[in-house]
Amino acid sequence: KFESEIKHNLAELSMPDAQLKINLKTSDTFYANGTDLIEFTFSANAGHDFKPISKVASGGELSRFMLALKSLTARVMHLPTLIFDEIDTGVSGQVALQMGSVMQKIAATHQVISITHLPQIAAKGRQHLNVFKISNNTKTLSGIKTLNEAERVTEIAKMIGGNNYSATAETQARELMLLN
């Protein structure tokens, strides 16, 4: 059932043919966590053999697999907060939008904190915090600021076009925020 649910979650993340197979072996040796040896094997595309996920998954595939896994476990674990620290590494465009949508679904029942550099993900949030550093040549301090709507547009526009963003990037930021 777990493998089937992961397959469904991966399909939601633009991996319709991806599959997970869990190999469970029992050892005669006692390890710190018991005698079971668990191996996740993975096939990202139809017609490909199952191989250890750590050997065959690209960065983007691994990011999507981790979100699919956390999405599934969030349903059964009653954790009040989930933190996704750049879980969107290696993805962009439509896949990033889909990952943002999955995180929004999780946020219906959990507090979700997402650290991201992708405008598609940032635009999906209900609240946007900007983390920044201040340096005075002798010391560097980190700060955090809650952004209002106008500041959110500016930050998302910077994610799209850099510090010297254009009016087009600002328009795109607003459009992404409307996709919520």
Side-chain angles (χ1 to χ4, degrees):
K1 183 176 177 179
F2 182 84
E3 292 169 355
S4 173
E5 298 237 2
I6 290 289
K7 179 177 175 43
H8 171 77
N9 289 359
L10 288 170
E12 264 190 296
L13 296 166
S14 294
M15 295 180 71
D17 297 319
Q19 294 185 67
L20 174 73
K21 189 183 290 182
I22 301 170
N23 297 323
L24 178 62
K25 298 175 187 169
T26 301
S27 172
D28 291 335
T29 305
F30 281 90
Y31 299 98
N33 295 315
T35 59
D36 293 334
L37 300 172
I38 300 170
E39 179 184 50
F40 282 26
T41 59
F42 182 70
S43 172
N45 301 296
H48 288 220
D49 293 335
F50 286 89
K51 294 186 178 167
I53 195 164
S54 62
K55 303 268 189 231
V56 296
S58 70
E61 290 167 345
L62 198 52
S63 291
R64 288 182 274 176
F65 172 76
M66 288 306 299
L67 183 57
L69 178 66
K70 286 189 176 234
S71 174
L72 180 58
T73 57
R75 287 187 239 153
V76 295
M77 295 179 75
H78 301 290
L79 299 172
T81 303
L82 294 168
I83 300 172
F84 298 114
D85 187 358
E86 298 188 27
I87 197 163
D88 49 24
T89 299
V91 302
S92 62
Q94 183 62 37
V95 173
L97 284 171
Q98 289 171 278
M99 289 184 83
S101 294
V102 168
M103 286 188 241
Q104 277 184 318
K105 286 180 191 175
I106 296 169
T109 56
H110 297 75
Q111 178 184 28
V112 172
I113 298 171
S114 176
I115 297 134
T116 186
H117 296 282
L118 292 181
Q120 297 93 332
I121 303 292
K124 295 276 186 184
R126 280 192 240 143
Q127 187 174 32
H128 192 140
L129 304 173
N130 183 27
V131 178
F132 57 92
K133 291 183 180 179
I134 302 169
S135 182
N136 65 4
N137 294 329
T138 60
K139 193 172 191 180
T140 301
L141 299 172
S142 295
I144 191 164
K145 180 181 186 222
T146 301
L147 303 180
N148 64 33
E149 282 300 302
E151 291 168 327
R152 283 189 73 205
V153 170
T154 298
E155 284 303 315
I156 293 168
K158 286 179 182 179
M159 290 176 167
I160 295 168
N163 286 339
N164 298 319
Y165 62 89
S166 66
T168 302
E170 197 170 290
T171 300
Q172 290 173 329
R174 283 191 182 90
E175 288 175 5
L176 281 172
M177 291 169 69
L178 289 175
L179 291 176
N180 287 330

